[in-house]
Amino acid sequence: MATLSITGGRVLLPDGTIPRADVLIDRDDGEILEIGDDLAGEDVLDASGSLVTPGFVNGHSHVAMTLLRGYADDKPLESWLREDIWPAEGELTAEDVRVGAELGLVEMIKSGTTGFADMYFEMPEIVDAVDRAGLRGRLGHGVVTVAKDDAGAHEDLETSLAFAREYDGAANGRISTAFMPHSLTTVDREYLAEYVPKAREAGVPLHYHANETADEVTPIVESEGVRPLAYAAELGMLESQDFVAHGVHVDESEIGLLAEAGTGVIHCPASNMKLASGMAPVQRMLDAGVTVGLGTDGAASNNDLSMLDEARDAAMIGKLAAEDASAIPAERIAEMLTHRTADAIGLESGRLEEGAPADLAVIDLEEPHLTPVHDLVSHLAYAAAASDVRHTICDGQVLMRDREVLTLEEDAVLERASEAAESLVARAEE
Ligand SMILES: [Zn+2]
């Protein structure tokens, strides 16, 4: 058995305690063997002066959108999509998606993220990039049927279903899939009614955008006579393995539906603030027993993929939304960074304990902005930054050691991404 030990750090355990301990990992099985004192592995990662946490989980992203980072800012969702993002995405090639995904994956590894859920297109390119980068992903092809003829709509739906069937369990099980209608307003009712049962037959969960803006709620109330999540429930789209992105404009009845069904909600505070979409009632959802995770959304509306930034944003906007400084405390944020999001998107990771997947991040605490240490959970929620991450490990494999990414060539990825982004924007504006 090949072993790896992470030694000399403070380790964040599932019960919220943070003892000094070593972590011993079976690299062949990708599992944590033991957490305790004086554990020696064949390979050693130094964690002295550091916090060892579960690798962060990003519950909602469009990873290849890194190519559009900073391309179109300061606009509301509808005009941002129609005037800037969709025209640029119309020019994206499979090669662009691969290059953009590699850039996003390097950024995730460098910021301590080891698992993520992603909705995009040209998904086999993203599978290939994730396989090489070494992360864990729940991936799916995003379907849009509005403005398509029936044949075009069916082709898109079949692509999403076929991808979900074919790639579930790829990359030695690190890749799982979902059927991903883009949203309740961009996929027509007849298609949801036809394809949701097919996704159930295939045994894959659903992931879609819901209740992101007020403009997404009104048309459904007008056409269907019920709130969006009641409409989703009617179509069989709210089950315990499913998860929705955003959930900003949800009322009490919809929070009740989510809690009852066990459907996860991925809160994307930075995207919601940047597009002025609104403030999700996260504390009310937590109080009702909804599994709320965290996600960055795409880099074009964030504009980075750091989960530590997202954590701080979630804490801040959560308090503002609840008008209560005690809402979304640091302990909840630490849970949302790790196992709550993993639970929402159906990953086994997010907890450091014997037998759990060896997905970890090691955060350097010897920095001015992390001194003194009264409370490490507070530092995780409010003060730590992506650049504090020293080592990232996923499935027992070291993806980054002493801030050097080992699985992808960072310099080459950045160069390719800059070139691809420049060419893409030139084509979109022709
Ligand atoms: Zn999104």
Side-chain angles (χ1 to χ4, degrees):
M1 183 198 326
T3 56
L4 165 73
S5 56
I6 302 169
T7 61
R10 303 257 320 253
V11 181
L12 177 61
L13 299 178
D15 65 3
T17 60
I18 314 178
R20 283 190 193 287
D22 300 337
V23 181
L24 185 66
I25 287 166
D26 178 345
R27 292 198 298 184
D28 299 329
D29 284 353
E31 278 183 8
I32 296 172
L33 287 169
E34 194 179 347
I35 298 170
D37 296 328
D38 303 319
L39 300 175
E42 289 161 4
D43 188 12
V44 178
L45 277 178
D46 174 47
S48 55
S50 302
L51 172 65
V52 182
T53 82
F56 306 135
V57 183
N58 185 345
H60 177 72
S61 66
H62 312 282
V63 67
M65 287 186 85
T66 47
L67 292 189
L68 297 172
R69 188 196 325 264
Y71 169 58
D73 297 306
D74 310 324
K75 288 177 138 183
L77 181 66
E78 275 300 307
S79 52
W80 175 74
L81 284 175
R82 286 178 199 286
E83 291 162 21
D84 304 295
I85 298 302
W86 287 343
E89 286 185 337
E91 294 292 331
L92 275 173
T93 62
E95 167 77 5
D96 289 333
V97 170
R98 187 178 58 76
V99 169
E102 285 176 351
L103 175 61
L105 294 170
V106 166
E107 189 182 356
M108 285 190 188
I109 292 169
K110 293 193 80 176
S111 51
T113 295
T114 55
F116 72 113
D118 204 74
M119 176 195 292
Y120 216 55
F121 39 88
E122 303 291 358
M123 292 308 290
E125 299 292 337
I126 298 181
V127 168
D128 178 58
V130 171
D131 190 9
R132 285 180 287 116
L135 286 85
R136 220 177 274 285
R138 184 170 291 281
L139 310 178
H141 171 94
V143 177
V144 173
T145 66
V146 291
K148 285 193 176 121
D149 63 18
D150 189 54
H154 271 107
E155 190 187 332
D156 210 13
L157 290 152
E158 289 293 343
T159 300
S160 190
L161 198 59
F163 174 82
R165 284 199 184 111
E166 183 176 346
Y167 289 93
D168 207 27
N172 292 324
R174 283 187 285 105
I175 288 172
S176 51
T177 59
F179 180 63
M180 301 196 185
H182 176 269
S183 75
L184 297 171
T185 51
T186 51
V187 179
D188 294 318
R189 176 191 256 276
E190 62 184 289
Y191 298 118
L192 293 172
E194 183 180 346
Y195 278 84
V196 169
K198 292 186 179 183
R200 297 296 173 216
E201 255 168 56
V204 292
L206 302 183
H207 173 39
Y208 51 98
H209 297 86
N211 301 51
E212 180 175 357
T213 63
D215 288 344
E216 260 189 306
V217 174
T218 315
I220 293 177
V221 172
E222 281 172 1
S223 67
E224 306 296 334
V226 290
R227 301 273 309 175
L229 294 180
Y231 169 62
E234 206 181 293
L235 286 162
M237 297 176 69
L238 284 191
E239 290 200 355
S240 61
Q241 69 272 33
D242 302 336
F243 55 107
V244 302
H246 298 294
V248 174
H249 298 273
V250 288
D251 73 1
E252 291 304 319
S253 69
E254 291 175 296
I255 292 174
L257 286 173
L258 290 164
E260 197 183 317
T263 303
V265 173
I266 304 301
H267 175 43
C268 304
S271 177
N272 296 161
M273 288 192 280
K274 185 160 184 269
L275 297 168
S277 301
M279 294 189 284
V282 175
Q283 186 62 52
R284 275 171 33 221
M285 288 195 271
L286 291 173
D287 289 345
V290 178
T291 301
V292 184
L294 270 185
T296 58
D297 212 351
S301 64
N302 189 303
N303 286 0
D304 64 55
L305 303 179
S306 165
M307 289 302 293
L308 287 166
D309 278 4
E310 215 61 34
R312 189 172 191 272
D313 289 343
M316 300 297 185
I317 195 177
K319 293 171 196 305
L320 201 56
E323 297 186 39
D324 176 3
S326 71
I328 332 269
E331 301 81 57
R332 290 295 91 65
I333 291 293
E335 293 166 5
M336 288 163 77
L337 270 172
T338 58
H339 66 257
R340 277 186 194 257
T341 307
D343 291 350
I345 70 171
L347 299 186
E348 302 284 310
S349 59
R351 292 175 180 83
L352 300 186
E353 58 195 4
E354 275 180 40
D359 296 10
L360 309 92
V362 179
I363 298 169
D364 181 5
L365 297 170
E366 293 175 342
E367 294 290 341
H369 61 276
L370 299 175
T371 304
V373 176
H374 293 299
D375 179 348
L376 279 175
V377 173
S378 162
H379 279 359
L380 196 59
Y382 295 113
S387 55
D388 299 325
V389 178
R390 290 173 72 182
H391 316 303
T392 304
I393 299 101
C394 183
D395 200 30
Q397 188 192 1
V398 182
L399 309 187
M400 179 172 77
R401 181 187 284 259
D402 289 316
R403 295 186 171 82
E404 187 195 343
V405 177
L406 303 178
T407 49
L408 294 171
E409 270 185 67
E410 183 178 352
D411 290 347
V413 167
L414 268 55
E415 197 181 320
R416 279 199 296 273
S418 297
E419 285 169 6
E422 197 180 321
S423 159
L424 170 67
V425 165
R427 295 197 307 274
E429 291 176 356
E430 250 172 31

